[in-house]
């Protein structure tokens, strides 16, 4: 897999983002449409894509490998939490904005962007590994993430972990663990519906880009420094440890994609709920999403 092969795959995803941008500018999409699309992605199409990936991986994935991925995912989040605590003061002096930077270091867009990238570059059968990362993400978000923003931990937030994403993730794990096979017509329908995820999610990113002020996104030097650290430096620092954990080349590539994903929407959503200005976070989300078109091929080229 050459850097150019991965780059052109990522470029295809960027074109889909461009399609969303174009349709928004032409009035074919508005906030209501985007909201409806996002709801369908999160609650229907993305869970089905996760489940279909598990169906295709039955008999192809060992329990030992799944255990290794789970440990790698936990290690990744612990590392990102530690880095966020150390580096966030260098990016903003405001106490509330430092919380946002800490969140941005930890909570990447593993589902919305990670699944399309892994599916298009490596294959749908590898989505099951992404599912493990997403399950760990959910646990970390509703424990560390919520407590960081609230200033305390509350058991009441744990009930929010029960959602379409976690249910589909657990179902996918069960399919792998017990070798469950479904009739072909069910497999086909689930796969076709799941395949809607990638283009629709990227079109939604294009909608966000169309409603953003480009100067605030691409004109802030500190965000480029943050993006370089988040998208390149940290994944490369973790690569030697990753290679000690596994010698499976495909698994290493999946994990490197997970390490190098752009910032997700959850820091922005949670910060907005707490009344924190989301201008910097919004800009960082868009900037890192655009830049990952270049950084992901670099990471995969380094892995060999």
């Amino acid at each position: 897999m050459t850097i150019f092969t991965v780059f052109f795959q990522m470029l295809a995803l960027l074109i889909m983002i461009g399609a969303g941008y174009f349709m928004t500018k032409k009035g074919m999409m508005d906030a209501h449409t985007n909201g409806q699309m996002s709801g369908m992605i999160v609650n229907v199409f993305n869970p089905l894509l996760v489940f279909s990936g598990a169906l295709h991986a039955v008999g192809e994935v060992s329990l030992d490998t799944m255990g290794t991925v789970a440990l790698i995912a936990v290690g990744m989040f612990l590392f990102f939490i530690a880095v966020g605590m150390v580096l966030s003061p260098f990016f903003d002096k405001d106490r509330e904005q430092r919380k946002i930077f800490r969140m941005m270091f930890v909570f990447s867009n593993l589902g919305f962007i990670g699944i399309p990238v892994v599916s298009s570059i490596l294959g749908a059968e590898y989505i099951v590994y992404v599912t493990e990362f997403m399950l760990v993400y959910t646990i970390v978000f509703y424990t560390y993430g919520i407590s960081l923003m609230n200033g305390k931990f509350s058991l009441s937030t744990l009930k929010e972990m029960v959602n379409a994403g976690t249910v589909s993730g657990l179902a996918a794990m069960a399919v792998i663990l017990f070798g469950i096979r479904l009739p072909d017509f069910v497999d086909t329908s689930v796969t076709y519906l799941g395949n809607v995820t990638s283009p629709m999610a990227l079109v939604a990113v294009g909608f966000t880009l169309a409603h953003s002020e480009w100067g605030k996104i691409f004109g802030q030097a500190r965000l480029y420094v943050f993006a370089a650290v988040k998208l390149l430096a940290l994944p490369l620092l973790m690569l030697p440890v990753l290679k000690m954990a596994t010698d499976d080349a495909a698994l290493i590539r999946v994990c490197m994609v997970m390490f190098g994903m752009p910032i997700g929407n959850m820091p922005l959503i949670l910060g907005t709920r707490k009344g924190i200005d989301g201008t910097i976070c919004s800009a960082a989300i868009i900037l890192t999403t655009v830049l990952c078109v270049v950084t992901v091929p670099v990471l995969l080229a380094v892995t060999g």
Side-chain angles (χ1 to χ4, degrees), residues 236 239 242-243 249 252-253 256 297-304:
L236 291 175
L239 180 57
L242 177 60
K243 287 187 173 181
I252 289 173
R253 286 194 287 268
M256 286 301 286
V298 171
L299 293 178
L300 292 179
V302 171
T303 63

Side-chain angles (χ1 to χ4, degrees), residues 86-258:
V86 173
L87 295 185
S88 59
F90 293 98
F91 290 99
D92 208 299
K93 299 302 180 184
D94 179 77
R95 182 173 177 271
E96 297 302 314
Q97 288 299 319
R98 286 204 304 268
K99 287 184 179 180
I100 295 296
F101 271 98
R102 286 175 64 177
M103 293 279 286
M104 290 194 297
F105 270 111
V106 178
F107 299 108
S108 305
N109 203 333
L110 303 184
F112 236 51
I113 300 297
I115 285 178
V117 171
V118 170
S119 179
S120 62
I121 294 176
L122 302 173
E125 64 271 22
Y126 293 104
I127 293 175
V128 65
Y129 299 136
V130 180
T131 301
E132 290 193 75
F133 276 89
M134 291 172 63
L135 287 172
V136 177
Y137 174 108
T138 300
I139 295 170
V140 175
F141 180 79
Y142 286 107
T143 52
Y144 170 77
I146 298 293
S147 62
L148 171 64
M149 298 304 289
N150 289 344
K152 62 180 181 179
F153 175 74
S154 173
L155 289 174
S156 63
T157 63
L158 296 182
K159 64 182 180 181
E160 297 182 49
M161 286 197 295
V162 182
N163 52 55
T166 53
V167 169
S168 66
L170 292 173
M173 294 298 104
V175 165
I176 298 296
L177 291 172
F178 299 107
I180 299 172
R181 297 185 183 275
L182 298 180
D184 287 344
F185 72 91
V186 176
D187 189 338
T188 300
S189 61
V190 169
T191 299
Y192 283 175
L193 288 169
N195 287 344
V196 174
T197 303
S198 297
M200 188 177 284
L202 296 167
V203 164
V205 173
F207 173 86
T208 303
L209 183 60
H211 285 276
S212 303
E213 296 183 40
W214 286 44
K216 292 182 179 179
I217 297 172
F218 301 105
Q220 299 192 58
R222 63 171 168 165
L223 291 185
Y224 285 96
V225 175
F226 174 81
V229 172
K230 170 68 174 168
L231 301 180
L232 285 176
L234 297 183
L236 291 175
L237 281 174
M238 289 188 286
L239 180 57
V241 179
L242 177 60
K243 287 187 173 181
M244 286 190 289
T246 178
D247 58 1
D248 186 325
L251 180 56
I252 289 173
R253 286 194 287 268
V254 173
C255 291
M256 286 301 286
V257 170
M258 293 292 96

